[in-house]
């Protein structure tokens, strides 16, 4: 009689991979979780209840066949598990590391709702594909037939790369243009190594190149090449630039010295980890070592900043957030990790103004020589913190923070990092493009099913359409757009319409 491999959630408790001690992991940028052993991965996969209606799958933006590859893992059929996982997700080992599973698949696991603790879906997903890389199962695209049609993709982030992979496997000629010197977008320069080690991203980039995808890096569209030139070179174009414009603060001295954008801070840190020379890090502007650091914001980018500052040797790290812990948009798992590593969260607090020290006469003269006369505060010394309370819900249903009068106080600070979210750049203006329609939020207007924009043969995906969102949504958009582009180029969409 066959032994039941699944439904072990009653007898087998939930276990995550071993987490490195906070004192150890806060000294480096290596990932904080150790690998699952084969037996442990199979044991944890066997806890799946194999639901008739798998909420884990329906709450995954990619609708990954999670129960199927959990069962295959429990049965020791790892190569099959990898094939099933890869069928719906271009980068499963990346999603396994950085997806907020507590808000998506794991947060909706049926056995979690019943009190038995969720299946560790993300860790098993990571284990499956890491094993596939080790055993040589991951192979570059090898199209059955090469096609003459060419696609230009602007942006080498997850959306653009997912589309490039899908299109190349169908035989289309694909060229990816990106402003940075390495492909990957925020996977490479926005997410720290302790969440996503960079060799994981670099091997995916190499796989795409081995499969025939061409990369044009250090290329700023609108400066190094025009958008019209890209349209002229390709039969279809996909815009997947992401959003990089930082939301700012409307307070006194918002651009004071020592106040930096999260994207600049994280990019510098990641470049240093690659071994690059970063002048702004070397001179201390984007280096937290020995400083009292305050990070403003409550999302995952803020969590990346506070935990990076700890690893750089900051004297102290505090995170200001204007709501309470329960209303924080970032992953609760990340908040816990940050607290373990020594970050202090100051809930119900917001910056009121930045206060600086007055430099000496010689320093003032030097700054005037270099920068000319400005009204910019020379160097931050304190943050005026305003205490808040939660009032009536806003249109989204979340309680709105309200200022508590007379409860302000000053918090010493040498470095302030603004992690307030991202907004789209004005691409039609930057690129000099007429007819590319945008929404009232500045995102590109695209059909939510086909991802077609207002320009013929031009498609758009990811954050530049959605606004700042998750990597997994960008991957989904990229895969969907690849199918639409293929249909557009082969005439299938036009035939279907007729």
């Amino acid at each position: 009689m066959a032994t039941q491999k699944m439904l072990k959630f009653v007898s087998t408790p939930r276990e995550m991979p071993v987490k490195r001690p906070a004192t150890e992991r806060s000294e480096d940028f290596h990932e904080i979780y150790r690998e699952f052993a084969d037996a442990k991965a199979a044991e944890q996969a066997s806890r799946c209840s194999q639901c008739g209606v798998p909420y884990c799958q329906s709450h995954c933006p990619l609708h990954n066949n999670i129960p199927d590859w959990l069962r295959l893992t429990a049965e020791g059929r790892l190569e099959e598990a990898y094939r099933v996982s890869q069928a719906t997700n271009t980068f499963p080992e990346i999603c396994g590391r950085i997806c907020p599973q507590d808000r998506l698949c794991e947060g909706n696991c049926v056995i979690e709702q019943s009190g038995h603790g969720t299946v560790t879906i993300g860790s098993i997903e990571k284990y499956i594909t890491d094993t596939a890389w080790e055993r040589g199962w991951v192979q570059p695209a090898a199209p059955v037939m090469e096609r003459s049609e060419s696609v230009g993709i602007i942006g080498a982030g997850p959306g653009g790369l997912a589309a490039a992979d899908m299109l190349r496997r169908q035989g289309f000629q694909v060229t990816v243009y990106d402003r940075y010197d390495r492909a990957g977008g925020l996977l490479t320069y926005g997410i720290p190594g302790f969440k996503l080690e960079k060799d994981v991203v670099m091997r995916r980039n190499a796989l795409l190149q081995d499969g025939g995808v061409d990369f044009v890096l250090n290329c700023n569209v609108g400066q190094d090449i025009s958008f019209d030139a890209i349209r002229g070179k390709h039969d279809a174009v996909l815009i997947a630039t992401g959003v990089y414009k930082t939301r700012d603060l409307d307070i006194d001295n918002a651009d004071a010295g020592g106040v930096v954008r999260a994207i600049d801070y994280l990019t510098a840190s990641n470049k240093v980890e690659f071994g690059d020379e970063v002048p702004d890090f070397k001179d201390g502007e984007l280096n937290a070592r020995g400083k009292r650091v305050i990070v403003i914001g409550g999302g995952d980018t803020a969590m990346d900043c506070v935990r990076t500052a700890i690893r750089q040797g900051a004297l102290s790290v505090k995170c200001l957030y204007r709501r309470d812990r329960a209303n924080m948009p970032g992953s609760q798992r990340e908040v816990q990790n940050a607290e373990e590593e020594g970050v202090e969260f100051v809930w119900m607090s917001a910056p009121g103004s930045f206060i600086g020290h007055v430099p000496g006469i010689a320093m003032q003269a030097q700054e005037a020589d270099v920068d000319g006369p400005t009204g910019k505060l020379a160097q931050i010394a304190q943050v005026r913190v305003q205490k808040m309370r939660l009032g009536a819900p806003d249109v989204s249903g979340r309680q709105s923070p309200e200022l508590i009068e007379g409860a302000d106080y000053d918090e010493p600070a040498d470095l302030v990092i603004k992690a307030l979210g991202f907004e789209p750049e004005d691409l039609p203006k930057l690129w000099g493009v007429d007819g590319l329609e945008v929404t009232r939020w500045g995102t590109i207007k695209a059909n939510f099913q086909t991802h077609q924009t207002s320009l013929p043969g031009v498609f758009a995906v990811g954050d530049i359409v959605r606004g700042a969102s998750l990597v997994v949504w960008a991957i989904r958009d990229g895969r969907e757009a690849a199918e639409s582009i293929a249909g557009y180029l082969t005439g299938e969409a036009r035939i279907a319409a007729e």
Side-chain angles (χ1 to χ4, degrees):
M1 183 176 177
T3 303
Q4 170 61 263
K5 292 284 188 181
M6 308 305 290
L7 305 168
K8 300 292 182 65
F9 60 88
V10 175
S11 58
T12 303
R14 177 183 187 272
E15 285 187 44
M16 285 285 288
V18 175
K19 187 193 295 187
R20 297 164 59 211
T23 52
E24 174 190 320
R25 68 181 194 248
S26 60
E27 296 294 324
D28 60 50
F29 281 84
H30 299 309
E31 290 178 7
I32 72 170
Y33 290 102
R34 304 193 191 280
E35 294 286 345
F36 261 144
D38 292 356
K40 184 59 69 175
E43 174 197 87
Q44 289 299 302
S46 73
R47 299 182 66 249
C48 175
S49 61
Q50 297 288 288
C51 304
V53 180
Y55 292 142
C56 58
Q57 183 172 350
S58 61
H59 283 84
C60 169
L62 288 164
H63 301 308
N64 288 329
N65 299 311
I66 296 168
D68 292 349
W69 49 254
L70 286 174
R71 185 183 187 93
L72 291 167
T73 302
E75 294 173 351
R77 298 157 62 185
L78 280 182
E79 185 170 359
E80 293 171 80
Y82 162 69
R83 302 294 174 201
V84 173
S85 174
Q86 185 74 35
T88 55
N89 188 353
T90 311
F91 310 120
E93 75 278 26
I94 292 175
C95 288
R97 286 168 163 87
I98 65 173
C99 262
Q101 289 96 1
D102 53 343
R103 304 205 309 261
L104 299 173
C105 54
E106 293 183 14
N108 292 280
C109 175
V110 168
I111 64 172
E112 166 74 7
Q113 307 303 319
S114 64
H116 290 282
T118 179
V119 177
T120 50
I121 295 168
S123 298
I124 295 169
E125 181 179 38
K126 169 179 174 286
Y127 161 79
I128 290 169
T129 310
D130 283 353
T131 302
W133 279 100
E134 291 171 7
R135 300 187 184 180
W137 301 335
V138 184
Q139 295 296 319
V144 175
M145 180 184 72
E146 292 288 348
R147 303 190 62 95
S148 61
E149 298 93 343
S150 168
V151 182
I153 298 176
I154 304 173
L161 296 183
D165 179 72
M166 295 288 287
L167 288 164
R168 188 68 199 105
R169 290 181 186 279
Q170 296 178 65
F172 295 100
Q173 309 310 307
V174 179
T175 302
V176 180
Y177 302 84
D178 196 77
R179 70 182 78 187
Y180 288 114
D181 57 346
R182 296 179 179 90
L186 289 178
L187 300 177
T188 298
Y189 286 129
I191 299 174
F194 52 79
K195 287 172 64 176
L196 177 62
E197 290 185 355
K198 299 310 156 190
D199 61 338
V200 175
V201 183
M202 293 303 106
R203 70 186 179 187
R204 276 289 174 186
N205 292 344
L207 188 78
L208 288 167
Q209 283 186 301
D210 292 344
V213 175
D214 292 326
F215 287 92
V216 180
L217 302 176
N218 289 312
C219 179
N220 257 310
V221 177
Q223 296 178 16
D224 303 310
I225 186 172
S226 70
F227 180 73
D228 288 340
I230 291 176
R231 287 190 76 188
K233 292 177 66 173
H234 302 285
D235 300 297
V237 173
L238 176 66
I239 301 172
T241 56
V243 291
Y244 285 89
K245 181 182 175 184
T246 302
R247 292 195 186 111
D248 215 334
L249 294 163
D250 185 18
I251 63 175
D252 291 343
N253 299 316
D255 61 346
V259 180
V260 302
R261 303 188 309 159
I263 186 65
D264 297 332
Y265 177 69
L266 293 173
T267 299
S269 177
N270 280 310
K271 280 182 171 287
V272 168
E273 288 301 305
F274 274 114
D276 296 350
E277 187 77 16
V278 183
D280 286 341
F281 181 88
K282 193 172 182 179
D283 68 17
E285 182 180 353
L286 297 175
N287 186 354
R289 177 167 296 281
K291 295 179 180 177
R292 297 165 297 184
V293 178
I294 291 179
V295 176
I296 303 167
D300 289 334
T301 299
M303 298 305 97
D304 293 343
C305 290
V306 294
R307 298 180 65 201
T308 295
I310 288 287
R311 284 159 174 78
Q312 289 180 348
L315 188 64
S316 65
V317 181
K318 296 184 179 182
C319 182
L320 300 188
Y321 183 58
R322 60 183 182 158
R323 291 184 170 94
D324 60 9
R325 186 182 190 123
N327 284 281
M328 198 171 192
S331 167
Q332 290 297 318
R333 190 180 295 171
E334 285 298 297
V335 175
Q336 179 185 341
N337 289 334
E339 287 179 326
E340 292 171 358
E341 292 165 7
V343 175
E344 180 184 342
F345 287 87
V346 187
W347 309 109
M348 310 296 295
S349 300
S353 63
F354 297 141
I355 306 165
H357 60 72
V358 179
I361 295 173
M363 179 62 73
Q364 288 179 355
Q366 180 181 342
E367 287 168 352
D369 289 342
V370 175
D371 301 323
T374 71
K376 180 177 177 179
L377 190 68
Q379 180 62 40
I380 191 168
Q382 294 177 318
V383 175
R384 175 72 45 81
V385 178
Q386 298 177 327
K387 296 303 293 180
M388 316 295 284
R389 60 170 169 250
L390 293 179
D394 59 19
V395 292
S396 69
R398 298 172 73 198
Q399 287 180 279
S400 299
E402 299 175 348
L403 177 65
I404 300 175
E405 296 291 345
D408 299 4
Y409 68 95
D410 294 339
E411 182 71 45
D414 307 303
L415 175 64
V416 174
I417 303 170
K418 297 180 290 187
L420 303 165
F422 301 99
E423 295 176 342
E425 297 161 298
D426 187 352
L427 293 188
K429 182 178 179 181
L430 284 174
W431 294 352
V433 181
D434 293 326
L436 182 61
E437 294 182 6
V438 297
T439 68
R440 61 191 178 95
W441 299 283
T443 53
I444 292 177
K445 188 180 290 186
N447 183 287
F448 73 95
Q449 290 180 316
T450 65
H451 303 279
Q452 173 84 48
T453 71
S454 56
L455 296 176
V458 178
F459 300 75
V461 297
D463 290 0
I464 195 59
V465 176
R466 291 180 176 274
S469 187
L470 301 174
V471 166
V472 67
W473 279 110
I475 295 171
R476 171 175 166 164
D477 289 351
R479 292 172 66 92
E480 287 180 348
E483 290 303 312
S484 295
I485 292 169
Y488 170 82
L489 293 177
T490 58
E492 291 173 10
R494 289 189 290 274
I495 293 170
E498 291 171 2

